[in-house]
Amino acid sequence: MNFPSVRPRRTRQSHPWRRMVRETRLSPDQLIYPLFVVPGADVRHPVTSMPGISQLSVDEAVKESRMAEQAGLPAVLLFAAPAHKDERARAALDPHGLAAEAIRAIKETCPRLLVWADVCLCGATDHGHCGHVLPGGVIDNDSSVQTLAQVALNYARAGADAVAPSDMMDGRVAAIRRLLDRDGFAMTPIVSYAAKYASAFYGPFREAAESAPAFGDRRSYQMDPANGREALREVLLDVEEGADLVMVKPAGPYLDIIRQVRDAVRVPVVAYQVSGEFSLIKAAAERGWIDERAAVMETLTGIHRAGADLIITYYAPQVARWLGA
Ligand code: PBG
């Protein structure tokens, strides 16, 4: 059979038809909302390059978490920008450091909201790199992995429901798993930023997280945007090391990677719609060049259709409300 008897438009001709045959559905259950925590109290400092997003003191992060929970979201992803930065990332290792205090405060107020803690050194180091730096500017993988595991343990002790290493050092998932298991946190999942690309789309985030590298760039540890097979290698290694969920980041420019990863592993796949992806839509919408709501729903639908089970997005509360309306 062929045209004129075959007509794909038949099931597209009205809203009820389109509703019934829709293949991809977004739900607030799939969305995770990132938060940026800074020192102080009563602080809501707007991030210029991310309209609607602010750096929040712990008390305000608690309020924002309550809002996220009320919007129907299951989880937030926490980033901290502590005041004190040094070459050892001591603020991230401190049981009373900014991130640990924020985790504790949010869990106290919103016990049913999952708190995923981003585990990295870049927000707490004076040089802004994701690992320790040797003289000459080389990133020391193996000592970084030891520190990252200690940071993860610190956040697990503070009550984090998951730890999410975003540093891209080799072997960190296994090291984190080993330390968590040894210290009584066998049930704390690891969300691994497994395929994280050296992307131009992190620009606005680095303002929000105050984590831009003081010298050089991140290309010796984050992936080359040109590489797809290497992403699968990274993901499979992390699963072998014990990752409970794996992430592809950024999301929009890497839909092919998301699909390949979804087909290659059995753990949940997370995609991160990063700051630059958010800011592009915002900027165009502010100029009236694009329909913000339609554009956001289309990007998230595309990311989900490509194979992402879960999506981290700065639009999460807004989308949850749109879906509920
Ligand atoms: C740092 C980190 C980055 C993001 C999450 N964790 C930026 C970077 O690698 O420089 C980016 C998130 C975003 O752009 O929204 N470990």
Side-chain angles (χ1 to χ4, degrees):
M1 278 226 286
N2 224 317
F3 182 82
S5 9
V6 174
R7 291 179 185 269
R9 287 187 53 207
R10 285 190 193 111
T11 55
R12 228 186 274 154
Q13 63 184 300
S14 65
H15 179 68
W17 274 115
R18 292 191 292 269
R19 205 176 124 209
M20 272 200 294
V21 302
R22 186 157 296 142
E23 298 174 30
T24 308
R25 283 170 217 279
L26 291 173
S27 144
D29 298 345
Q30 303 154 340
L31 305 177
I32 298 126
Y33 183 41
L35 298 178
F36 300 109
V37 183
V38 290
D42 269 331
V43 179
R44 230 169 221 278
H45 180 243
V47 179
T48 325
S49 52
M50 301 177 73
I53 302 296
S54 295
Q55 295 180 317
L56 307 168
S57 50
V58 171
D59 55 319
E60 290 294 323
V62 167
K63 285 185 204 158
E64 193 77 2
S65 299
R66 207 180 300 124
M67 178 280 289
E69 192 175 31
Q70 277 160 6
L73 300 174
V76 293
L77 172 62
L78 210 71
F79 295 95
H84 177 76
K85 296 175 194 263
D86 58 37
E87 61 169 18
R88 306 309 301 170
R90 286 188 183 86
L93 295 161
D94 182 353
H96 296 288
L98 184 60
E101 294 295 0
I103 294 165
R104 231 173 263 122
I106 296 171
K107 287 309 293 183
E108 212 163 279
T109 320
C110 311
R112 279 146 42 108
L113 180 73
L114 298 180
V115 176
W116 290 9
D118 184 87
V119 171
C120 199
L121 305 190
C122 60
T125 47
D126 45 11
H127 49 67
H129 275 288
C130 303
H132 294 309
V133 179
L134 292 171
V138 170
I139 307 295
D140 184 10
N141 188 89
D142 300 11
S143 76
S144 304
V145 164
Q146 296 314 311
T147 305
L148 288 158
Q150 296 292 343
V151 172
L153 179 61
N154 185 33
Y155 296 167
R157 283 184 175 141
D161 296 289
V163 291
S166 66
D167 52 282
M168 286 299 279
M169 297 301 131
D170 292 333
R172 90 274 208 221
V173 172
I176 291 171
R177 186 71 277 154
R178 216 175 302 121
L179 192 61
L180 290 180
D181 288 356
R182 201 194 70 194
D183 276 65
F185 294 95
M187 285 299 286
T188 303
I190 299 175
V191 182
S192 165
Y193 289 68
K196 176 174 176 180
Y197 286 89
S199 171
F201 292 93
Y202 304 151
F205 171 94
R206 291 179 187 169
E207 178 193 339
E210 299 171 7
S211 68
F215 63 88
D217 55 45
R218 303 206 199 288
R219 284 180 297 175
S220 82
Y221 41 104
Q222 299 180 350
M223 287 184 49
D224 183 338
N227 292 0
R229 288 187 299 268
E230 191 185 348
L232 289 183
R233 184 169 183 230
E234 283 282 7
V235 165
L236 293 173
L237 281 170
D238 282 7
V239 169
E240 238 173 81
E241 289 182 28
D244 299 281
L245 301 87
V246 291
M247 195 190 303
V248 175
K249 172 186 177 183
Y254 299 91
L255 296 179
D256 56 328
I257 309 297
I258 294 172
R259 168 47 53 195
Q260 290 178 59
V261 169
R262 179 57 289 162
D263 290 342
V265 300
R266 276 164 290 191
V267 295
V269 174
V270 188
Y272 197 146
Q273 182 177 53
V274 301
S275 56
E277 299 177 79
F278 170 86
S279 300
L280 284 184
I281 300 174
K282 272 285 173 201
E286 279 183 350
R287 282 161 183 73
W289 291 351
I290 201 167
D291 176 338
E292 183 176 27
R293 177 173 175 165
V296 169
M297 295 312 260
E298 186 173 336
T299 58
L300 296 181
T301 299
I303 293 163
H304 185 38
R305 190 195 64 239
D309 304 291
L310 304 173
I311 305 173
I312 301 167
T313 173
Y314 300 94
Y315 275 113
Q318 175 70 268
V319 171
R321 284 189 289 265
W322 283 335
L323 289 171

